[in-house]
Amino acid sequence: HLGVFVNNTWLKQALNRKVVQRSVKTSLIVGTVLILINYGSSLTDWTTFTSSWWKIGLTYCVPYLVSTYSAVGSLIDKSKE
């Protein structure tokens, strides 16, 4: 439900230090694995990196956002109990 994104509580939870730390760790692990799977040996070629830098950035952003969304949703659900 879209209203959860504009909720101040959601944003505060998303910026919570523990949530950010967990999401960064998840992003680094998952993003690196995905980059190795998707690009493999072509990462040694500089032109691959320069032409795909935005895709590589998104490969780290998506796991971060998914992890944050999941963690915040869980915290909010837990607080309602």
Side-chain angles (χ1 to χ4, degrees):
H1 158 252
L2 190 57
V4 75
F5 287 106
V6 294
N7 186 333
N8 195 27
T9 302
W10 196 95
L11 186 59
K12 283 182 183 177
Q13 291 292 348
L15 296 175
N16 176 295
R17 194 177 105 203
K18 288 185 178 184
V19 171
V20 171
Q21 287 175 340
R22 182 175 295 135
S23 295
V24 167
K25 287 178 188 176
T26 300
S27 175
L28 290 174
I29 294 167
V30 174
T32 300
V33 169
L34 289 173
I35 287 171
L36 291 173
I37 290 169
N38 292 325
Y39 293 97
S41 62
S42 67
L43 283 176
T44 58
D45 181 16
W46 183 249
T47 57
T48 299
F49 177 76
T50 56
S51 65
S52 301
W53 64 268
W54 64 275
K55 291 179 188 175
I56 292 171
L58 282 176
T59 303
Y60 285 103
C61 289
V62 170
Y64 178 86
L65 294 172
V66 170
S67 179
T68 299
Y69 181 82
S70 177
V72 171
S74 180
L75 288 170
I76 289 174
D77 286 347
K78 188 176 179 180
S79 72
K80 290 179 181 179
E81 293 177 353

